[in-house]
């Protein structure tokens, strides 16, 4: 297995025992789209969704919970969110997929989170994804042992490496992921936005941790946050940027 596919293979191996279910809702984001477009600082949709989803986790603690099977089946609730954005990078002619962790997205500003994402997207791969690149070159059985220990035993390292949730999308290519899979409690994805400012948003979740009714509530809450608080945050960021420009 080439190194650039080793991590994906490992993650799918971890996911194989997770009973995940996907639910989809169409979000109306026209007002947010316009507020984002007017903002002088470019904030990606991935960060916008990450921030809104992390804020929803304050209302729904299940988004910070993880099922652990060792030494006995139980749920662990992390004190803060750790969102992992799936980032595609080219390394020596090969396409790699990396997890870019952003901790405390419910606390830090959109601008700070965007800066972190841009470092993950353009910084030296050997620095920003040092541990993932190194792990990908380990022998097969060493990788699987390390993943098993992190996944089932070392809950702190599991959250640090994998996060409490993931965000992945190929909406920029005009495509919607129907069944996103990652070894985390929930994975959020969204499709391309139409002219009316609507897009399909899906959450794949571990059914051992959450049920369909709660996930429906989470989708509704995330849309509400994007229609209200996120719009206000973009307006505030626009005002701050223009005030700085005027002062300069």
């Amino acid at each position: 297995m080439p190194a650039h596919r080793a991590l994906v293979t490992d993650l799918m191996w971890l996911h194989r025992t997770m009973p995940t279910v996907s639910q989809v809702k169409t979000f109306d984001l026209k007002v947010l789209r316009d507020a984002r477009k007017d903002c002088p600082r470019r904030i990606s949709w991935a960060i916008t969704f990450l921030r809104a989803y992390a804020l929803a986790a304050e209302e729904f603690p299940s988004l910070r919970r993880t099922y652990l099977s060792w030494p006995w089946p139980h749920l662990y609730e992390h004190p803060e969110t750790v969102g992992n954005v799936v980032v595609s990078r080219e390394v020596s002619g090969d396409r790699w997929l990396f997890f870019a962790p952003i901790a405390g997205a419910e606390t830090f500003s959109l601008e700070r989170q965007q800066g972190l994402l841009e470092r993950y997207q353009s910084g030296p791969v050997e620095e920003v994804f040092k541990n993932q690149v190194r792990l990908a070159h380990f022998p097969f059985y060493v990788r699987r042992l390390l993943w098993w220990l992190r996944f089932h035993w070392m809950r702190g390292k599991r959250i640090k490496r994998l996060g409490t949730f993931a965000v992945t999308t190929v909406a920029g290519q005009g495509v919607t992921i129907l069944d996103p899979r990652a070894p985390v409690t929930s994975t959020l994805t969204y499709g391309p936005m139409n002219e009316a400012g609507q897009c399909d948003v899906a959450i794949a979740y571990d059914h051992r941790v959450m049920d369909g009714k709660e996930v429906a509530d989470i989708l509704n809450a995330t849309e509400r946050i994007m229609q209200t608080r996120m719009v206000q945050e973009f307006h505030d960021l626009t005002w701050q940027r223009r005030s700085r420009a005027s002062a300069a």
Side-chain angles (χ1 to χ4, degrees), residues 179-199:
D179 186 21
R181 297 191 177 187
V184 291
T185 297
S186 65
T187 302
L188 182 146
T189 187
Y190 56 92
M193 189 170 296
N194 62 24
E195 293 183 359
Q198 298 176 328
C199 69

Side-chain angles (χ1 to χ4, degrees), residues 137-179:
H137 288 90
F138 283 1
F140 170 83
Y141 290 107
V142 175
R143 292 199 324 270
R144 292 297 168 88
L145 175 61
L146 291 174
W147 277 122
W148 189 93
L149 289 172
R150 291 171 180 173
F151 197 72
H152 295 286
W153 185 264
M154 304 173 182
R155 64 187 189 184
K157 286 193 174 182
R158 172 174 174 172
I159 298 300
K160 181 178 180 180
R161 303 301 183 196
L162 297 175
T164 54
F165 67 85
V167 174
T168 182
T169 185
V170 285
Q173 285 72 50
V175 177
T176 302
I177 300 173
L178 297 179
D179 186 21

Side-chain angles (χ1 to χ4, degrees), residues 25-241:
K25 186 180 191 303
T26 301
F27 281 23
D28 183 357
L29 302 177
K30 182 180 182 301
V31 176
L32 178 59
R33 180 193 63 185
D34 294 341
R36 175 178 174 269
K37 184 178 180 180
D38 291 339
C39 185
R41 173 67 165 114
R42 181 190 175 277
I43 304 294
S44 69
W45 277 113
I47 288 298
T48 306
F49 274 99
L50 179 83
R51 167 80 169 151
Y53 201 51
L55 290 171
E58 294 184 318
E59 183 179 348
F60 298 92
S62 293
L63 293 177
R64 291 182 278 109
R65 291 176 185 151
T66 301
Y67 178 91
L68 297 174
S69 61
W70 190 267
W72 52 78
H74 63 285
L75 297 181
Y76 164 68
E77 184 175 316
H78 202 61
E80 65 174 359
T81 63
V82 180
N84 264 310
V85 182
V86 179
V87 173
S88 177
R89 295 287 304 270
E90 187 170 314
V91 182
S92 301
D94 293 320
R95 183 62 61 179
W96 289 59
L97 288 183
F98 295 107
F99 266 6
I102 298 179
E106 67 275 23
T107 303
F108 298 122
S109 67
L110 284 170
E111 197 166 13
R112 177 173 179 177
Q113 293 176 47
Q114 182 64 35
L116 289 172
L117 179 60
E118 289 170 356
R119 173 163 169 74
Y120 285 127
Q121 291 174 328
S122 59
V125 169
E126 296 77 9
E127 293 181 12
V128 295
F129 296 114
K130 178 181 177 180
N131 290 328
Q132 294 179 50
V133 172
R134 182 174 59 181
L135 180 61
H137 288 90
F138 283 1
F140 170 83
Y141 290 107
V142 175
R143 292 199 324 270
R144 292 297 168 88
L145 175 61
L146 291 174
W147 277 122
W148 189 93
L149 289 172
R150 291 171 180 173
F151 197 72
H152 295 286
W153 185 264
M154 304 173 182
R155 64 187 189 184
K157 286 193 174 182
R158 172 174 174 172
I159 298 300
K160 181 178 180 180
R161 303 301 183 196
L162 297 175
T164 54
F165 67 85
V167 174
T168 182
T169 185
V170 285
Q173 285 72 50
V175 177
T176 302
I177 300 173
L178 297 179
D179 186 21
R181 297 191 177 187
V184 291
T185 297
S186 65
T187 302
L188 182 146
T189 187
Y190 56 92
M193 189 170 296
N194 62 24
E195 293 183 359
Q198 298 176 328
C199 69
D200 290 334
V201 179
I203 295 177
Y205 60 95
D206 188 340
H207 213 331
R208 298 169 299 185
V209 182
M210 294 185 289
D211 293 323
K213 173 63 169 61
E214 183 177 20
V215 174
D217 291 338
I218 290 170
L219 282 164
N220 287 327
T222 304
E223 181 184 27
R224 170 176 47 81
I225 290 169
M226 298 188 81
Q227 291 173 339
T228 55
R229 181 162 177 175
M230 299 310 302
V231 170
Q232 186 59 51
E233 289 191 12
F234 271 101
H235 286 326
D236 292 344
L237 182 55
T238 298
W239 179 83
Q240 292 170 9
R241 281 276 173 161

